[in-house]
PDB file of all heavy atoms in Angstrom:
ATOM      1  N   MET A   1      18.079  -5.965  16.061  1.00  0.00           N
ATOM      2  CA  MET A   1      16.944  -6.118  15.156  1.00  0.00           C
ATOM      3  C   MET A   1      17.443  -5.973  13.714  1.00  0.00           C
ATOM      4  O   MET A   1      18.161  -5.035  13.384  1.00  0.00           O
ATOM      5  CB  MET A   1      15.898  -5.048  15.450  1.00  0.00           C
ATOM      6  CG  MET A   1      14.758  -5.049  14.464  1.00  0.00           C
ATOM      7  SD  MET A   1      13.551  -3.782  14.884  1.00  0.00           S
ATOM      8  CE  MET A   1      13.292  -3.071  13.301  1.00  0.00           C
ATOM      9  N   ASN A   2      17.052  -6.899  12.882  1.00  0.00           N
ATOM     10  CA  ASN A   2      17.391  -6.791  11.459  1.00  0.00           C
ATOM     11  C   ASN A   2      16.511  -5.736  10.814  1.00  0.00           C
ATOM     12  O   ASN A   2      15.361  -5.547  11.198  1.00  0.00           O
ATOM     13  CB  ASN A   2      17.176  -8.132  10.754  1.00  0.00           C
ATOM     14  CG  ASN A   2      18.222  -9.142  11.128  1.00  0.00           C
ATOM     15  OD1 ASN A   2      18.992  -8.935  12.047  1.00  0.00           O
ATOM     16  ND2 ASN A   2      18.247 -10.244  10.420  1.00  0.00           N
ATOM     17  N   THR A   3      17.052  -5.083   9.835  1.00  0.00           N
ATOM     18  CA  THR A   3      16.279  -4.085   9.100  1.00  0.00           C
ATOM     19  C   THR A   3      16.220  -4.452   7.622  1.00  0.00           C
ATOM     20  O   THR A   3      16.424  -3.616   6.756  1.00  0.00           O
ATOM     21  CB  THR A   3      16.865  -2.672   9.288  1.00  0.00           C
ATOM     22  OG1 THR A   3      18.238  -2.703   8.883  1.00  0.00           O
ATOM     23  CG2 THR A   3      16.753  -2.199  10.722  1.00  0.00           C
ATOM     24  N   ASP A   4      15.951  -5.715   7.356  1.00  0.00           N
ATOM     25  CA  ASP A   4      15.778  -6.174   5.989  1.00  0.00           C
ATOM     26  C   ASP A   4      14.477  -5.593   5.447  1.00  0.00           C
ATOM     27  O   ASP A   4      13.486  -5.476   6.166  1.00  0.00           O
ATOM     28  CB  ASP A   4      15.724  -7.705   5.949  1.00  0.00           C
ATOM     29  CG  ASP A   4      16.960  -8.358   6.551  1.00  0.00           C
ATOM     30  OD1 ASP A   4      18.036  -7.727   6.546  1.00  0.00           O
ATOM     31  OD2 ASP A   4      16.843  -9.497   7.037  1.00  0.00           O
ATOM     32  N   LYS A   5      14.483  -5.229   4.179  1.00  0.00           N
ATOM     33  CA  LYS A   5      13.317  -4.577   3.571  1.00  0.00           C
ATOM     34  C   LYS A   5      12.850  -5.344   2.336  1.00  0.00           C
ATOM     35  O   LYS A   5      13.652  -5.831   1.564  1.00  0.00           O
ATOM     36  CB  LYS A   5      13.664  -3.160   3.115  1.00  0.00           C
ATOM     37  CG  LYS A   5      14.346  -2.287   4.137  1.00  0.00           C
ATOM     38  CD  LYS A   5      13.377  -1.624   5.031  1.00  0.00           C
ATOM     39  CE  LYS A   5      14.123  -0.633   5.930  1.00  0.00           C
ATOM     40  NZ  LYS A   5      13.296  -0.083   6.933  1.00  0.00           N
ATOM     41  N   VAL A   6      11.553  -5.435   2.192  1.00  0.00           N
ATOM     42  CA  VAL A   6      10.912  -5.911   0.972  1.00  0.00           C
ATOM     43  C   VAL A   6      10.017  -4.768   0.517  1.00  0.00           C
ATOM     44  O   VAL A   6       9.248  -4.223   1.317  1.00  0.00           O
ATOM     45  CB  VAL A   6      10.075  -7.191   1.219  1.00  0.00           C
ATOM     46  CG1 VAL A   6       9.288  -7.572  -0.019  1.00  0.00           C
ATOM     47  CG2 VAL A   6      10.956  -8.346   1.671  1.00  0.00           C
ATOM     48  N   VAL A  36       8.167  -3.034   3.608  1.00  0.00           N
ATOM     49  CA  VAL A  36       8.011  -3.701   4.895  1.00  0.00           C
ATOM     50  C   VAL A  36       9.383  -4.064   5.451  1.00  0.00           C
ATOM     51  O   VAL A  36      10.287  -4.423   4.704  1.00  0.00           O
ATOM     52  CB  VAL A  36       7.110  -4.961   4.810  1.00  0.00           C
ATOM     53  CG1 VAL A  36       5.722  -4.593   4.315  1.00  0.00           C
ATOM     54  CG2 VAL A  36       7.698  -6.035   3.941  1.00  0.00           C
ATOM     55  N   THR A  37       9.503  -3.924   6.749  1.00  0.00           N
ATOM     56  CA  THR A  37      10.724  -4.292   7.444  1.00  0.00           C
ATOM     57  C   THR A  37      10.492  -5.634   8.117  1.00  0.00           C
ATOM     58  O   THR A  37       9.499  -5.830   8.814  1.00  0.00           O
ATOM     59  CB  THR A  37      11.087  -3.236   8.510  1.00  0.00           C
ATOM     60  OG1 THR A  37      11.204  -1.965   7.867  1.00  0.00           O
ATOM     61  CG2 THR A  37      12.393  -3.567   9.204  1.00  0.00           C
ATOM     62  N   THR A  38      11.397  -6.555   7.875  1.00  0.00           N
ATOM     63  CA  THR A  38      11.260  -7.914   8.378  1.00  0.00           C
ATOM     64  C   THR A  38      12.659  -8.480   8.602  1.00  0.00           C
ATOM     65  O   THR A  38      13.647  -7.757   8.567  1.00  0.00           O
ATOM     66  CB  THR A  38      10.443  -8.773   7.388  1.00  0.00           C
ATOM     67  OG1 THR A  38      10.155 -10.034   7.971  1.00  0.00           O
ATOM     68  CG2 THR A  38      11.130  -8.938   6.056  1.00  0.00           C
ATOM     69  N   ASN A  39      12.734  -9.744   8.834  1.00  0.00           N
ATOM     70  CA  ASN A  39      14.027 -10.432   8.935  1.00  0.00           C
ATOM     71  C   ASN A  39      14.004 -11.545   7.905  1.00  0.00           C
ATOM     72  O   ASN A  39      13.284 -12.524   8.066  1.00  0.00           O
ATOM     73  CB  ASN A  39      14.220 -11.007  10.341  1.00  0.00           C
ATOM     74  CG  ASN A  39      15.525 -11.773  10.495  1.00  0.00           C
ATOM     75  OD1 ASN A  39      16.172 -12.134   9.513  1.00  0.00           O
ATOM     76  ND2 ASN A  39      15.906 -12.034  11.726  1.00  0.00           N
ATOM     77  N   PHE A  40      14.773 -11.387   6.831  1.00  0.00           N
ATOM     78  CA  PHE A  40      14.802 -12.458   5.837  1.00  0.00           C
ATOM     79  C   PHE A  40      16.164 -13.151   5.780  1.00  0.00           C
ATOM     80  O   PHE A  40      16.583 -13.648   4.748  1.00  0.00           O
ATOM     81  CB  PHE A  40      14.290 -12.020   4.464  1.00  0.00           C
ATOM     82  CG  PHE A  40      14.929 -10.836   3.812  1.00  0.00           C
ATOM     83  CD1 PHE A  40      16.238 -10.887   3.357  1.00  0.00           C
ATOM     84  CD2 PHE A  40      14.194  -9.691   3.609  1.00  0.00           C
ATOM     85  CE1 PHE A  40      16.802  -9.809   2.711  1.00  0.00           C
ATOM     86  CE2 PHE A  40      14.746  -8.598   2.962  1.00  0.00           C
ATOM     87  CZ  PHE A  40      16.064  -8.663   2.520  1.00  0.00           C
ATOM     88  N   GLU A  41      16.792 -13.243   6.934  1.00  0.00           N
ATOM     89  CA  GLU A  41      18.082 -13.932   7.032  1.00  0.00           C
ATOM     90  C   GLU A  41      17.948 -15.394   6.581  1.00  0.00           C
ATOM     91  O   GLU A  41      18.792 -15.897   5.840  1.00  0.00           O
ATOM     92  CB  GLU A  41      18.601 -13.850   8.461  1.00  0.00           C
ATOM     93  CG  GLU A  41      19.999 -14.381   8.648  1.00  0.00           C
ATOM     94  CD  GLU A  41      20.514 -14.138  10.067  1.00  0.00           C
ATOM     95  OE1 GLU A  41      19.786 -13.582  10.908  1.00  0.00           O
ATOM     96  OE2 GLU A  41      21.651 -14.542  10.315  1.00  0.00           O
ATOM     97  N   LYS A  42      16.868 -16.062   7.012  1.00  0.00           N
ATOM     98  CA  LYS A  42      16.645 -17.458   6.618  1.00  0.00           C
ATOM     99  C   LYS A  42      16.522 -17.590   5.100  1.00  0.00           C
ATOM    100  O   LYS A  42      17.127 -18.471   4.492  1.00  0.00           O
ATOM    101  CB  LYS A  42      15.386 -18.008   7.297  1.00  0.00           C
ATOM    102  CG  LYS A  42      15.036 -19.419   6.886  1.00  0.00           C
ATOM    103  CD  LYS A  42      13.738 -19.888   7.524  1.00  0.00           C
ATOM    104  CE  LYS A  42      13.306 -21.227   6.977  1.00  0.00           C
ATOM    105  NZ  LYS A  42      11.971 -21.619   7.449  1.00  0.00           N
ATOM    106  N   ALA A  44      17.681 -15.568   2.854  1.00  0.00           N
ATOM    107  CA  ALA A  44      18.960 -15.236   2.230  1.00  0.00           C
ATOM    108  C   ALA A  44      19.960 -16.385   2.331  1.00  0.00           C
ATOM    109  O   ALA A  44      20.725 -16.635   1.407  1.00  0.00           O
ATOM    110  CB  ALA A  44      19.544 -13.976   2.875  1.00  0.00           C
TER     111      ALA A  44
END
Side-chain angles (χ1 to χ4, degrees):
M1 174 179 134
N2 288 11
T3 56
D4 303 334
K5 310 275 187 188
V6 173
V36 300
T37 303
T38 188
N39 178 344
F40 55 68
E41 187 174 1
K42 177 183 173 187

